[in-house]
Amino acid sequence: MTVPFSRVPSNLRVPLFYAEFDASQANTATATQRTLIIGQQLAAATQAVNVPFIASSASTVGGACGYGSMLHNMMTAYLANDSAGQIYLLPLADNPAGVAATGTITFTASGSGTLSIYIAGTRVQIAVASTDTPTIIAAALAAAVNAATALPVTATAALGVVTVTAKNKGAHGNGIDIRLNYQGTAGGEETPTGLGVAIVAMSNGTTSPILSDALANLGDQTFDFIIHPYTDTTSLDAIKAFLSDTTGRWSYAEQLYGHSLGVLSGTYGQLTAAGEARNDQHASLVGIYDSPTPAYIWSAAVYGAIAGSLRNDPGRPLQTLTVSGVLAPPRASRFIFTERNNLLYSGISSVVVADDGTVQIENIITTYQTNKYGDADDSYLQIETLFLLMFVTRYIRTQITSKFARMKLAANGTRFAPGAAIVTPNTIRAEIIAQYTYLVTNGYTQDAAAFASGLIVEQNASNPNRVDVLWDGTLINQLRIFALLNQFRLQASA
């Protein structure tokens, strides 16, 4: 038997004991699955733009990127759902060509009681006295808004009008919601009698940051959960190119992988049109309507809710997971079953709301809908498929690079001493079958017999130093539909 030493020389004459260590048969590690939150910081922030940094608390992000910045609010929402992940943030500057969204709250007359206004899903309350003028009320509300430093807006007051301005420039600010009494009278919220309040929604915010430089600075570091706050075509196309199978992170050369998720807010018709305009297996878009919480905060909350499950078991379905840190749309604004089902055929993922107002994951799909010929294709429909492919491919790579890192390659049938640092295609084939058995046992794949019969491992015909493998595994499925025909009886059989 030839023992395949790597370091102990064969010409030793000095006695006695020598040892080297070989971890090629011991590696059971899995890849670190990092979260990346992309978003804007404030102009006065101290963090370098376009350079990723690691953080573990919302206060750290608030101090570095600015309290109330997009990144600060997204980090807060993410941590409300996933406190165990390794989180990096990619801070962006406002686009110089951008404009900050603005809205107004105008007061007339007066009343006595408590005023409850929700801005970006956060309640701001002030006491109102019957002797207060609209100017006094407006000044009090502006002061309360500015005191809530986590809000994504600032406020100014003049002559009974509060002007609310987004802290970050960009079109995302148009989705910062302002409304009265979200909880309603059941929650003890109602406008003081006699007080007139008129709200003009946030609008006129324009553009998003350019992503190319920031994405390029990520280098070769892996990020599996990429939270993307921008849903304009230019930004989505940039992420699509970043994760591309051809030249991006899913290409054979990079093998870094990752999946992006964003949230779109719009009507049923708007979401249908937006979803059908996309076709990317490495991106998911969740559809919501009329939530007080901005869509970019939803994106962080939703990915936080599913990231822990995907880390623990990428094949387990995500339905019923709770999403914390966001407010559900009012009951009248929630999509009904038919709408959600149709949206799932238009590339839009869905959430549902329980009777107590808890938001839950229903089905997270990708935007991939058609093949290169424009024909319907569900190969990459489910997000679990992509995360299973990441896990399985990384597992195979880890085992192959650990066990066969410095092996000589011989043709099948070659006779050599046991233990020699030599492999044949058949040796590799046996190893891959053993790997697949492990994957089946642990619930990532299925049908080991069919896999073994279809697996091809062969020495390349033109390059004798290369082995080509056709891996024909079957990924595990998810139980999504349980259909029951209740063929009941009203009379007992004789």
Side-chain angles (χ1 to χ4, degrees):
M1 176 178 178
T2 302
V3 176
F5 286 107
S6 296
R7 299 178 183 86
V8 177
S10 60
N11 61 347
L12 285 172
R13 290 188 176 179
V14 176
L16 173 65
F17 180 82
Y18 301 90
E20 71 174 59
F21 298 93
D22 177 8
S24 64
Q25 307 300 310
N27 190 356
T28 59
T30 56
T32 300
Q33 294 184 275
R34 302 179 185 89
T35 294
L36 179 70
I37 303 177
I38 302 172
Q40 290 159 251
Q41 61 180 11
L42 300 186
T46 59
Q47 191 67 33
V49 297
N50 297 337
V51 178
F53 72 99
I54 191 171
S56 58
S57 70
S59 60
T60 298
V61 178
C65 300
Y67 286 90
S69 65
M70 177 187 280
L71 278 178
H72 175 228
N73 290 155
M74 293 174 74
M75 182 67 165
T76 301
Y78 186 86
L79 288 174
N81 294 276
D82 179 19
S83 59
Q86 188 178 105
I87 307 167
Y88 281 76
L89 297 103
L90 185 58
L92 308 174
D94 289 348
N95 190 322
V99 176
T102 59
T104 61
I105 307 166
T106 301
F107 295 101
T108 56
S110 189
S112 179
T114 300
L115 177 69
S116 300
I117 288 186
Y118 285 76
I119 301 176
T122 298
R123 186 173 69 175
V124 179
Q125 290 184 309
I126 59 170
V128 178
S130 58
T131 55
D132 290 341
T133 65
T135 298
I136 292 173
I137 296 170
L141 178 60
V145 169
N146 292 327
T149 56
L151 285 176
V153 298
T154 59
T156 58
L159 302 175
V161 179
V162 178
T163 300
V164 178
T165 304
K167 290 181 177 178
N168 282 117
K169 297 177 181 179
H172 75 278
N174 300 330
I176 296 175
D177 182 85
I178 306 174
R179 72 178 69 190
L180 287 166
N181 308 323
Y182 170 76
Q183 299 288 352
T185 54
E189 298 174 356
E190 56 183 333
T191 303
T193 302
L195 177 63
V197 185
I199 295 173
V200 176
M202 299 287 283
S203 63
N204 298 319
T206 61
T207 79
S208 298
I210 298 172
L211 297 175
S212 54
D213 289 344
L215 294 177
N217 287 339
L218 295 175
D220 290 337
Q221 193 166 26
T222 57
F223 296 101
D224 283 10
F225 313 110
I226 300 172
I227 301 170
H228 187 31
Y230 310 110
T231 53
D232 60 283
T233 300
T234 300
S235 298
L236 291 175
D237 285 348
I239 291 291
K240 184 176 182 177
F242 176 66
L243 294 172
S244 162
D245 288 345
T246 307
T247 57
R249 293 199 151 212
W250 277 80
S251 68
Y252 76 91
E254 292 199 18
Q255 301 180 56
L256 298 173
Y257 311 119
H259 190 84
S260 74
L261 183 143
V263 173
L264 273 169
S265 180
T267 65
Y268 170 64
Q270 290 169 333
L271 292 175
T272 299
E276 291 178 354
R278 306 302 306 173
N279 195 50
D280 182 5
Q281 66 267 36
H282 305 308
S284 294
L285 291 174
V286 181
I288 60 170
Y289 174 63
D290 196 29
S291 167
T293 307
Y296 65 89
I297 296 178
W298 269 84
S299 65
V302 169
Y303 225 156
I306 66 176
S309 178
L310 291 169
R311 279 198 306 268
N312 289 338
D313 187 344
R316 192 172 180 183
L318 303 171
Q319 64 251 20
T320 74
L321 291 175
T322 297
V323 182
S324 301
V326 296
L327 294 181
R331 190 174 300 275
S333 299
R334 299 170 193 172
F335 294 125
I336 62 174
F337 171 85
T338 302
E339 292 171 326
R340 299 196 311 275
N341 194 60
N342 289 339
L343 286 171
L344 287 165
Y345 275 92
S346 298
I348 299 296
S349 303
S350 61
V351 295
V352 292
V353 183
D355 289 342
D356 63 355
T358 301
V359 177
Q360 296 177 322
I361 300 296
E362 184 173 55
N363 196 359
I364 304 296
I365 61 172
T366 77
T367 64
Y368 183 81
Q369 299 160 78
T370 59
N371 62 20
K372 293 180 180 180
Y373 293 96
D375 296 321
D377 186 349
D378 63 359
S379 302
Y380 294 113
L381 174 65
Q382 301 296 159
I383 191 177
E384 292 88 350
T385 299
L386 278 302
F387 278 88
L388 280 168
L389 288 173
M390 281 191 255
F391 179 89
V392 168
T393 305
R394 285 169 172 164
Y395 173 74
I396 296 170
R397 182 174 63 191
T398 295
Q399 298 303 306
I400 295 298
T401 57
S402 294
K403 296 180 180 180
F404 303 138
R406 297 186 63 238
M407 289 288 183
K408 294 176 281 187
L409 178 62
N412 288 331
T414 302
R415 299 174 62 87
F416 51 86
I422 300 173
V423 294
T424 66
N426 281 344
T427 307
I428 296 174
R429 186 178 190 277
E431 170 61 27
I432 294 174
I433 291 174
Q435 294 169 8
Y436 194 83
T437 301
Y438 167 86
L439 293 171
V440 171
T441 301
N442 288 275
Y444 303 114
T445 58
Q446 56 186 315
D447 202 352
F451 171 78
S453 65
L455 175 65
I456 297 175
V457 182
E458 60 187 16
Q459 200 166 5
N460 186 274
S462 59
N463 183 350
N465 298 306
R466 169 174 164 170
V467 170
D468 295 329
V469 177
L470 173 62
W471 192 94
D472 64 334
T474 303
L475 301 178
I476 200 71
N477 302 119
Q478 295 81 42
L479 176 59
R480 300 190 189 280
I481 308 296
F482 181 88
L484 170 71
L485 174 61
N486 188 336
Q487 198 174 70
F488 65 94
R489 303 290 190 270
L490 295 178
Q491 184 174 345
S493 60

